[in-house]
Amino acid sequence: MTGAGARAALYGAALATGGAFSVLFTGETHGGLDGGFGAYSVIALGGYGAFLAMTLAAALAAAVGSAGRCRFILLPPAIVLYTLIAVYGRPPLFSLAGWRELFGRMGADVYAAGETMYVEPVPYDLAPGLFVVLIPVVMVVVAFATSATLYERSPVVSVVVLGITIGVLSTVSFEDGVGPFFAVFLACAVALLLFSGTGPRGAGTVAAAGVVVAVLLLPKAPFSEATVSPGLIDWTRIGTGGTSRLDVQADVGDYLTAGRDAELLRIRSQEPLLWRAGTLDHFDGVRWTDTTEPGLDYGEEVSEYVETESVLQSVQVLDAQTEVVFGGYRIINTSLEDAVPSSDGSWYVDRPLAEGTYYRVLSSVPQPTAAQLDGAGTDYPREVREKYLQLPESTPGIVAQRAQEIQRRYAPLTPYDKARAVERWLIYDGGFIYNLDVSYRRADRAIEEFLGEGKEGFCTQFATSMALILREMDVPTRVVYGATTGEQVDDDEYVVTGSNMHTWVEVYFPGVGWYPFDPTPGFTVPEAMQANAPRPEVPSVQQNLAPENATLRDRQLDRRQQDRPQDSPEREREAAGQSGGPGQQPPVWPLAVLPGLLVAAVPFTKRLLVARGRPEDLYRDLVGRLRDVLPPGGGTIADSPALTPTERLTLLAGAAGVEEGPFGEFALAYSGYLYSGRSGAGERRRLSGAYRRAMRAYGRLPWRRRVLGAVNPGSLVVRAARGFATARGRMLKALRRGRGAR
């Protein structure tokens, strides 16, 4: 009997896992005020939404998983009833037309959910179909995890199932929120393992508490980045909203620590621009740093012969602190009295700008023509060559290999041609994929892996690669860090969040100055910054892209809509949010995970049913295995209740084509157990030995038949139907007795 402490820990871990599913959703409904949910649905309750629905689903599943031998019979109706009530509210109990309408609506909602999962990245807006798909997943996972501890005496299985589920959620979601659920789960998992043994001892309890504290607090220690190696999983960033990053990333300070949804800046600007914060010029093989010194000349920032456009911006600092001044390149004046310009065209202040700070900047945005850039030549000042052509001695050979490959492929003649060639290769032709969830084991080999077989990353990897390859091609470059335009919330007004933090590249052209390039797939330099020399269009490009922010995706969608006829079907689909363009990376994981969970649940359930090792469990397991390797309908030969165990097993073994002798031996032993009344240890050992010999005979079947039999749910359906019929018979018998008593 599982003690109260173990049960409490098990239920706590289950509720934490269910609640963790809420990180897959935003707080906004999809398609109107009610989002398509019923008036009395759980999700429609103000202020709770996905968290309440998923937590209640986990609670109900834990209760069902604790219901003894009826647990797997109760689970399917519990899933159906709770899903209907949680999503659509009060069901039409006595209306056939109402049920028909409800199921038709569910079908349409699930179809729309499939479109949403394919097209949109996590997190999703609240939509009925998504809950119809995900609530059953929560309940199946929690019910099996609960059953594993309470009835199969396998708490380790419960911890693994629930832990992997939270791990998957933290992987697919880049939002804040998984951390608290992981902390609760970790504490409950350790408690469950302690209470499921001989009981918590003093030393064991102290050690377990120390493990929990270390896991939760060590990643936050000041020395964690230098001493904790993330390995295959970046544990230092679980639940923080950050992504696994290369150490070469141009760190944007404290901005990302507030989370991807944190609103950092509110900017009013006459033009949407890239909000530049600073530049990095020196690469040591692991990370970029800024080595410029104020007051020194490293080449002209913008030549006097280049046309410029003046853009005024008003900036309000929101949930952030910063010592750099954000604004469009090139800032020529600011209202901040203590702001000082740097040699790289950026500005900084001595004291951090705190939340609520408001300032104005005036930018003179350069507008060189393509002819000016192409004819700039290579007469670089000595200071520019020394600082912006620097490469470390440890630069991997693949950088030079890629530079030679690009030279052969595109045959660029001028530095401007080389810059556009590298940009095009990284975005379109090189086979690279935009992926926020990337982690490279060794920082000193990150670029080598990225340019080699990895070919997955986000803005940092792409900007670093372009800068290094161009330096290898003798073109001066620097990496820029700042933010993309952000979300437009009003006319000429933009909100910059953590997800908008970005890096790109600037290339130096004599007689022109520095000019921006963005080699990250799905991104481009705003039109106001490249009006006279835009990135060349590349037709018919098929690329797996995923922008870091929704605003960029919206602008790309608007641009494509303007280029199509107003009544085209493609335009109508995009207006409905159902088209995945080159600015999107279809997150296909939900469509793959759900069928995989359902398939994996079949052999997992069979294993749970035989885990107790009782004689009847072994007998049912052998019968089920033989039934499941037969063609559809082949197992009906053994359905007659008049058959003895020996007749049933030998019939099925003969039909399946396995050796009948070991199965007949087990059947005889089982019959002796049933009718002799002997249930001692010797009798159980005899049955176990016969079972192992029968399993060896079964193992001689071709592996393909055994695999198909393992995932065939036929025997489970038969057992569930018989269990339901038995329960129904008992209920009817009890009712008849009740009437007789009256």
Side-chain angles (χ1 to χ4, degrees):
M1 183 68 180
T2 304
R7 283 179 176 263
L10 173 64
Y11 295 150
L15 292 178
T17 304
F21 274 80
S22 63
V23 304
L24 300 179
F25 298 92
T26 67
E28 301 296 329
T29 55
H30 179 76
L33 295 177
D34 62 356
F37 300 101
Y40 299 98
S41 68
V42 174
I43 300 155
L45 295 176
Y48 298 97
F51 172 75
L52 182 59
M54 293 305 188
T55 305
L56 289 179
L60 177 59
V64 172
S66 307
R69 66 178 61 185
C70 299
R71 59 193 182 280
F72 296 122
I73 299 174
L74 294 175
L75 183 58
I79 290 175
V80 173
L81 289 176
Y82 177 76
T83 302
L84 290 176
I85 294 173
V87 179
Y88 299 103
R90 187 171 54 201
L93 296 177
F94 306 107
S95 171
L96 183 60
W99 281 108
R100 189 182 302 114
E101 179 183 355
L102 177 59
F103 284 121
R105 180 180 173 187
M106 286 181 63
D109 289 340
V110 170
Y111 180 82
E115 293 284 336
T116 299
M117 290 177 171
Y118 183 79
V119 172
E120 298 182 10
V122 174
Y124 308 121
D125 290 341
L126 303 180
L130 296 173
F131 287 93
V132 174
V133 172
L134 292 175
I135 284 176
V137 175
V138 176
M139 297 187 69
V140 168
V141 169
V142 171
F144 278 121
T146 304
S147 176
T149 292
L150 299 184
Y151 301 104
E152 279 66 47
R153 302 295 188 267
S154 300
V156 173
V157 173
S158 302
V159 170
V160 169
V161 170
L162 298 177
I164 289 178
T165 302
I166 291 184
V168 170
L169 293 173
S170 69
T171 299
V172 301
S173 175
F174 300 122
E175 304 304 309
D176 286 334
V178 178
F181 298 107
F182 173 73
V184 173
F185 162 76
L186 179 63
C188 292
V190 173
L192 173 60
L193 296 177
L194 285 173
F195 280 107
S196 298
T198 58
R201 307 293 182 182
T205 303
V206 173
V211 170
V212 173
V213 172
V215 171
L216 295 179
L217 297 185
L218 183 58
K220 302 298 184 182
F223 52 81
S224 62
E225 292 188 0
T227 59
V228 178
S229 175
L232 297 178
I233 302 176
D234 193 349
W235 294 103
T236 65
R237 296 186 182 277
I238 285 184
T240 65
T243 58
S244 298
R245 303 182 301 176
L246 294 173
D247 285 342
V248 299
Q249 174 162 346
D251 197 346
V252 292
D254 294 332
Y255 297 106
L256 288 178
T257 61
R260 291 176 53 79
D261 281 339
E263 295 184 350
L264 307 178
L265 303 170
R266 182 181 296 270
I267 301 176
R268 294 190 61 87
S269 174
Q270 300 162 321
E271 295 284 356
L273 304 172
L274 292 176
W275 315 120
R276 191 173 181 271
T279 68
L280 302 159
D281 59 89
H282 184 83
F283 184 64
D284 63 4
V286 175
R287 61 183 60 82
W288 287 96
T289 55
D290 176 20
T291 63
T292 58
E293 299 181 21
L296 296 185
D297 183 13
Y298 300 105
E300 54 190 345
E301 288 291 322
V302 180
S303 172
E304 59 180 321
Y305 303 107
V306 173
E307 177 185 348
T308 60
E309 177 185 0
S310 297
V311 179
L312 180 65
Q313 304 127 74
S314 300
V315 182
Q316 181 184 5
V317 180
L318 302 178
D319 186 13
Q321 286 190 354
T322 175
E323 294 179 354
V324 296
V325 179
F326 281 80
Y329 181 75
R330 176 192 181 201
I331 297 175
I332 59 175
N333 201 357
T334 176
S335 63
L336 294 168
E337 295 182 356
D338 58 343
V340 178
S342 298
S343 298
D344 62 351
S346 59
W347 289 59
Y348 66 94
V349 292
D350 291 333
R351 290 181 297 177
L353 303 174
E355 181 177 355
T357 303
Y358 176 88
Y359 62 89
R360 294 184 304 277
V361 295
L362 178 63
S363 299
S364 182
V365 181
Q367 305 284 313
T369 65
Q372 286 177 307
L373 295 168
D374 198 49
T378 59
D379 187 17
Y380 305 118
R382 180 178 58 84
E383 294 81 4
V384 171
R385 282 188 169 275
E386 290 177 353
K387 185 164 291 291
Y388 297 109
L389 290 178
Q390 172 267 337
L391 286 170
E393 294 182 359
S394 59
T395 302
I398 197 169
V399 173
Q401 294 173 19
R402 295 308 190 194
Q404 295 169 5
E405 176 185 340
I406 293 169
Q407 186 69 42
R408 288 193 303 268
R409 182 168 188 169
Y410 304 102
L413 298 177
T414 67
Y416 180 65
D417 290 340
K418 293 177 182 179
R420 288 300 185 195
V422 175
E423 180 185 57
R424 171 172 175 165
W425 181 73
L426 286 169
I427 296 176
Y428 303 115
D429 302 334
F432 291 87
I433 296 174
Y434 183 96
N435 182 9
L436 276 170
D437 187 25
V438 64
S439 177
Y440 292 100
R441 171 66 175 167
R442 290 182 53 179
D444 59 340
R445 299 188 60 182
I447 289 301
E448 181 179 0
E449 294 181 31
F450 174 73
L451 290 176
E453 296 182 357
K455 291 194 173 183
E456 293 189 17
F458 51 105
C459 59
T460 297
Q461 291 82 57
F462 286 97
T464 296
S465 297
M466 180 174 183
L468 296 182
I469 292 174
L470 283 176
R471 288 187 178 190
E472 183 68 35
M473 300 173 79
D474 209 32
V475 178
T477 60
R478 63 189 182 191
V479 171
V480 187
Y481 66 94
T484 56
T485 305
E487 179 183 359
Q488 185 170 358
V489 295
D490 203 348
D491 292 342
D492 298 333
E493 185 171 347
Y494 308 90
V495 171
V496 176
T497 66
S499 65
N500 296 120
M501 304 312 296
H502 192 52
T503 56
W504 59 96
V505 175
E506 287 178 349
V507 179
Y508 184 79
F509 298 95
V512 175
W514 293 92
Y515 194 71
F517 296 81
D518 196 334
T520 302
F523 290 79
T524 186
V525 175
E527 294 179 6
M529 298 176 65
Q530 56 171 6
N532 298 325
R535 176 196 295 172
E537 293 291 336
V538 178
S540 302
V541 173
Q542 296 296 324
Q543 175 63 281
N544 185 5
L545 312 178
E548 281 178 294
N549 61 89
T551 303
L552 176 62
R553 181 173 68 242
D554 295 340
R555 294 201 302 272
Q556 292 172 332
L557 181 60
D558 293 340
R559 191 178 302 118
R560 290 196 300 274
Q561 288 175 335
Q562 294 170 3
D563 293 339
R564 293 196 180 101
Q566 292 296 315
D567 56 350
S568 73
E570 291 182 48
R571 178 178 173 81
E572 293 176 2
R573 285 196 299 271
E574 288 187 346
Q578 298 177 357
S579 173
Q584 297 171 334
Q585 179 184 12
V588 299
W589 68 268
L591 301 179
V593 168
L594 182 58
L597 286 175
L598 296 178
V599 171
V602 174
F604 184 69
T605 302
K606 294 177 181 179
R607 185 69 187 89
L608 288 178
L609 292 175
V610 77
R612 285 174 289 187
R614 300 176 305 180
E616 53 267 35
D617 294 327
L618 303 179
Y619 169 73
R620 291 168 183 164
D621 179 64
L622 291 178
V623 171
R625 287 177 183 271
L626 295 173
R627 288 185 66 101
D628 289 341
V629 297
L630 293 174
T636 56
I637 61 174
D639 284 344
S640 173
L643 293 175
T644 65
T646 302
E647 293 170 335
R648 180 172 287 111
L649 279 175
T650 53
L651 273 174
L652 288 171
V658 300
E659 184 181 358
E660 297 180 19
F663 288 86
E665 178 188 355
F666 176 86
L668 288 174
Y670 181 63
S671 297
Y673 162 80
L674 289 177
Y675 303 118
S676 68
R678 297 192 300 270
S679 58
E683 192 71 14
R684 287 181 177 271
R685 283 196 298 272
R686 180 187 173 197
L687 277 166
S688 297
Y691 173 80
R692 288 193 295 271
R693 287 187 287 275
M695 286 298 296
R696 283 196 291 269
Y698 175 82
R700 299 187 188 103
L701 285 173
W703 68 270
R704 291 183 180 84
R705 291 187 64 189
R706 286 185 280 117
V707 169
L708 292 175
V711 299
N712 181 3
S715 61
L716 297 180
V717 174
V718 171
R719 290 185 64 171
R722 288 177 179 171
F724 180 79
T726 301
R728 180 173 178 272
R730 290 174 178 171
M731 184 175 64
L732 292 175
K733 186 175 181 180
L735 290 174
R736 286 196 295 269
R737 286 178 179 175
R739 293 193 189 99
R742 288 195 297 272

